[in-house]
Amino acid sequence: AWLMMTLLLLSLTACGSSKNESLEGTWKWTMDVTDQIFKENKITEIDTVEMVYVLTFRRDGSFSMAVDKAALYQSLQSCIDTYIDAIIEQGYQEMAASKGITREQFDAIMTDKGLTWESYMKLTLLSQGDPYKVADSVAGDSMSGYFRADGGRLYVSKREKSLDKDECTEYVLSSDGTMTWTGGNNDLIQFLEGVDVQPPVRWVKQ
């Protein structure tokens, strides 16, 4: 009897482990946050700023989810640099067309004022609202805890032995290495709602 019970427990443990193994590893989901970051600046014609969420499921049953802030700031900086370059070029053309001033002449005027076109445009942009502070706010907090996968349902909890059987995230795994969250009502879904996102959300295995 004891042997049968031991085999049964081992079987159940192996079953739970194999379901978790299908999610183990790192997943990424990319979100467009351009409008949120530049809302105060009232800029519409600008390149996309992408925010990447990194979700990691570990073999020990723990998980973590957070924004890759380095990638976010890099995307934001690239966006701002491209925007400022375009505005500067537009400014040169307008000054040449309206006042007949060449680039060199205009640069000399800015130099006399102790400025450059680039520094002037950055000051103007930041005076309307600091996109870097907004980006930091948009990135929000990280999330971590423990997980259990079972039949297309993902259960999470901050404590290892209190995984709720009622609240879950519903997901679908695809052969192309993606996981799509289709619905649910647990902390993961509430986390998404906190950044104004609703399922479906498509994660890509790294």
Side-chain angles (χ1 to χ4, degrees):
W2 282 108
L3 178 61
M4 290 297 293
M5 181 65 71
T6 301
L7 291 174
L8 178 60
L9 289 173
L10 288 173
S11 173
L12 291 174
T13 302
C15 182
S17 174
S18 64
K19 291 177 180 178
N20 279 1
E21 285 175 4
S22 63
L23 298 185
E24 283 177 10
T26 299
W27 303 77
K28 290 187 177 181
W29 163 56
T30 301
M31 175 183 177
D32 183 345
V33 292
T34 312
D35 291 342
Q36 291 171 264
I37 289 179
F38 290 103
K39 183 178 180 180
E40 292 184 16
N41 303 86
K42 299 179 180 179
I43 297 174
T44 54
E45 296 181 6
I46 196 164
D47 289 349
T48 299
V49 179
E50 294 184 337
M51 184 165 70
V52 180
Y53 279 92
V54 181
L55 174 62
T56 303
F57 295 108
R58 303 179 186 86
R59 187 174 295 274
D60 64 0
S62 65
F63 83 95
S64 61
M65 180 169 65
V67 169
D68 183 340
K69 291 190 177 182
L72 171 60
Y73 296 142
Q74 182 178 358
S75 178
L76 174 57
Q77 186 61 56
S78 176
C79 177
I80 289 176
D81 289 344
T82 301
Y83 172 75
I84 288 179
D85 288 345
I87 292 298
I88 289 174
E89 181 61 31
Q90 181 181 337
Y92 278 132
Q93 293 176 5
E94 289 178 354
M95 293 301 292
S98 62
K99 300 183 181 299
I101 299 177
T102 65
R103 293 171 183 257
E104 292 75 17
Q105 289 172 327
F106 192 80
D107 285 343
I109 294 172
M110 296 293 283
T111 300
D112 289 341
K113 296 179 180 295
L115 294 170
T116 64
W117 248 119
E118 184 176 359
S119 63
Y120 173 74
M121 287 307 304
K122 285 186 176 180
L123 285 172
T124 302
L125 181 66
L126 293 176
S127 70
Q128 299 169 341
D130 190 340
Y132 295 97
K133 288 184 179 180
V134 178
D136 195 50
S137 175
V138 169
D141 299 323
S142 60
M143 181 178 181
S144 62
Y146 295 88
F147 78 99
R148 179 171 61 84
D150 186 6
R153 295 175 179 268
L154 176 59
Y155 303 92
V156 298
S157 173
K158 292 182 179 179
R159 292 178 293 178
E160 187 173 7
K161 296 183 179 180
S162 61
L163 293 165
D164 197 319
K165 295 182 179 180
D166 297 322
E167 298 181 350
C168 69
T169 295
E170 298 167 355
Y171 69 92
V172 176
L173 291 176
S174 301
S175 58
D176 61 356
T178 61
M179 170 178 60
T180 304
W181 290 357
T182 57
N185 58 351
N186 67 357
D187 290 346
L188 294 176
I189 298 300
Q190 292 173 18
F191 187 95
L192 294 179
E193 291 174 349
V195 291
D196 297 324
V197 173
Q198 297 290 335
V201 171
R202 183 173 177 268
W203 296 82
V204 179
K205 187 74 173 288
Q206 303 303 297

